[in-house]
Amino acid sequence: MNASETAAKVRSGELKAEELVKNRILKIKELNPKLNAFLEIFEDSALAQARAVDAKSPETRGRLAGVCVALKDNILYKGHIASCASKMLENYKAPYNATVVEHLLKEDAIIIGRTNMDEFAMGSSNENSAFGPVKNPLDLERVPGGSSGGSAAAVASGMVDMALGSDTGGSIRQPAAFCGIYGIKPTYGSVSRYGLVAFASSADQIGPLTADLEDNALLLEVLSGHDAKDSTSANNPAFKPEEVKTEGLRIGIPSDFLENLNPEILAVLEAAKADLSAKGIIFEEISLPYAKYASPCYYILTSSEASSNLARFDGLRYGYKDNSAGDLEDSYLKDRAEFGPEVKRRIMLGTFSLGSAHAEDYYLKAQKVRNLIKNDFVQAFKQVDAVLMPATPNTAFKIGEKAEDLISLYLSDLYTAPANIAGVPALSFPYGKDSKGLPIGLQLYGNFFDEAKLYALAKLLEK
Ligand code: GLN
């Protein structure tokens, strides 16, 4: 049963939300000690919510009635801790609901707990959590990807129906690929960022991770829409899953961007191309000449924004406070020491890139490169309806394998970061396996607000 079928049965009264939630909690308690995907189960509030849904009259129950959804630990749910998997916010309780949480509650989704992540969403393996790494449910020696690794592992292991992640450079799509599930980074501005702890505001988007394709579209529909509380929220209407006639649609493959692609992933990409061609899709060669610069551009821009966004964690207003601190400088030194090494690295890189001596060479240059990359996609979508590429340069790697090799870890975002840089939507979907039996994720990029086409094309490849 997918989530929409579950919700339909809860609405009709055939299933009780309370029973469903109790079963989910048992399952999470059984699996989580192995996986470390959840940092906390919201047992009391989830059960109270479930009872309230069961008490409603059937016609007033929402579209996600009784469906258990997990929140990444950087999304605010009033009265609950949102720690960003950081010691800095270990005990921080959200004073209000994120807009996406309001949307979930309105549709009677059950918010079952908060999931582990890379600290402040910085990472590609979930090894940067202050509360221990998450294990990939398909192979416990391997990473689930990051930074939304807890959300991906929770869905892939069947602990929940759906989870929310956030994606600044690939943090929904890369873990989805590593765990064999669906994840979308929606068009920038289509899902409100109000109540999402900011990493890099110009790139962050919340989005759904699900095991089922239809559920993914349903959840995006619930989450999206204009929000006056987010100044970057688009004025477009909320996303609606719609019938799209796929025959005759054009897909571009950016060969110049896919040089040196891992041969096993290339073979799967070719298989998907053949599969789609047989279903009436027309393929074209396209060029994305600047996309290969997305990773360096991404790390300059997002670290710059992060250094500014994370300046608020000064020990005075939010989070950790060392009471032995003397003067202001001592307090900064002691309180901000609570950040983990990756977060400190990004703050230093960002502060450097924004400094008056270097801004011209780094931050401002990266802004120019961002425009060139965006223009690559604007041009491509004049020619084609979607772009097909891998989600990741490799499949799930072993825990610890890349700990000493930051550059290779940063390059995990090679194929995902361009979507955040350009603002366009991209859907990661499972297709095929490598020789170790690990899932391979492919990715469809679309034009601004053209998510419906991506879902329709992925549907053709659904196994
Ligand atoms: N892996 C990327 C990083 O480390 C992406 C993170 C994200 O999308 N939040 O920054």
Side-chain angles (χ1 to χ4, degrees), residues 121-124 147 167-171 199 298-299 346 413:
M122 297 169 185
S124 299
S147 64
D167 190 311
T168 307
S171 279
F199 162 11
Y298 165 85
Y299 278 93
R346 306 274 178 122
D413 312 323

Side-chain angles (χ1 to χ4, degrees), residues 241-304:
E242 52 185 87
E243 286 287 320
V244 174
K245 187 174 162 285
T246 53
E247 213 187 319
L249 287 184
R250 291 171 187 276
I251 292 185
I253 298 205
S255 306
D256 54 350
F257 184 39
L258 301 183
E259 279 166 13
N260 307 319
L261 179 60
N262 164 331
E264 289 192 336
I265 297 184
L266 179 63
V268 162
L269 186 79
E270 291 294 343
K273 180 180 168 188
D275 197 343
L276 286 168
S277 300
K279 290 170 178 154
I281 305 298
I282 298 157
F283 277 85
E284 282 184 28
E285 278 290 312
I286 58 158
S287 168
L288 296 174
Y290 292 101
K292 58 174 169 291
Y293 303 112
S295 278
C297 172
Y298 165 85
Y299 278 93
I300 297 290
L301 291 178
T302 59
S303 301
S304 299

Side-chain angles (χ1 to χ4, degrees), residues 72 74 117-118 120-125 128 146-148 166-175 185 199-200 203-205 298-299 302-303 342 346 409-410 412-413 416-417 420:
K72 186 175 178 177
N74 57 354
M117 56 186 277
D118 285 301
F120 283 98
M122 297 169 185
S124 299
S125 65
N128 295 336
S147 64
S148 315
S166 66
D167 190 311
T168 307
S171 279
I172 291 174
R173 292 162 288 154
Q174 186 251 17
K185 197 289 286 179
F199 162 11
D204 298 339
Q205 273 293 282
Y298 165 85
Y299 278 93
T302 59
S303 301
E342 184 62 26
R346 306 274 178 122
L409 200 56
Y410 286 180
S412 299
D413 312 323
T416 46
N420 307 75

Side-chain angles (χ1 to χ4, degrees), residues 287 374-384:
S287 168
K374 189 171 173 184
N375 190 48
D376 272 3
F377 285 98
V378 170
Q379 295 309 321
F381 291 122
K382 285 183 182 158
Q383 200 186 331
V384 293

Side-chain angles (χ1 to χ4, degrees), residues 74-269:
N74 57 354
I75 297 172
L76 304 192
Y77 179 22
K78 190 173 178 176
H80 296 80
I81 290 176
S83 82
C84 293
S86 179
K87 289 276 176 197
M88 185 60 94
L89 293 176
E90 189 169 5
N91 301 309
Y92 174 74
K93 277 203 178 145
Y96 61 89
N97 282 333
T99 296
V100 289
V101 167
E102 291 289 344
H103 287 318
L104 290 172
L105 296 175
K106 190 164 152 269
E107 295 300 341
D108 289 329
I110 310 293
I111 301 180
I112 192 93
R114 57 187 175 93
T115 55
N116 205 347
M117 56 186 277
D118 285 301
E119 185 177 5
F120 283 98
M122 297 169 185
S124 299
S125 65
N126 236 292
E127 292 163 289
N128 295 336
S129 166
F131 307 112
V134 178
K135 314 278 172 65
N136 189 318
L138 306 172
D139 178 343
L140 297 179
E141 285 181 5
R142 292 179 188 272
V143 304
S147 64
S148 315
S151 287
V155 170
S157 61
M159 289 196 265
V160 283
D161 300 299
M162 304 172 145
L164 301 196
S166 66
D167 190 311
T168 307
S171 279
I172 291 174
R173 292 162 288 154
Q174 186 251 17
F178 278 15
C179 293
I181 61 171
Y182 293 93
I184 194 167
K185 197 289 286 179
T187 304
Y188 184 77
S190 59
V191 176
S192 170
R193 291 183 298 109
Y194 181 74
L196 167 70
V197 179
F199 162 11
S201 317
S202 76
D204 298 339
Q205 273 293 282
I206 295 171
L209 292 115
T210 62
D212 178 88
L213 181 60
E214 213 181 291
D215 282 351
N216 205 281
L218 171 66
L219 185 52
L220 180 60
E221 183 182 8
V222 168
L223 300 177
S224 68
H226 177 69
D227 181 13
K229 291 179 180 149
D230 170 2
S231 61
T232 59
S233 171
N235 259 314
N236 293 48
F239 162 77
K240 281 246 166 295
E242 52 185 87
E243 286 287 320
V244 174
K245 187 174 162 285
T246 53
E247 213 187 319
L249 287 184
R250 291 171 187 276
I251 292 185
I253 298 205
S255 306
D256 54 350
F257 184 39
L258 301 183
E259 279 166 13
N260 307 319
L261 179 60
N262 164 331
E264 289 192 336
I265 297 184
L266 179 63
V268 162
L269 186 79

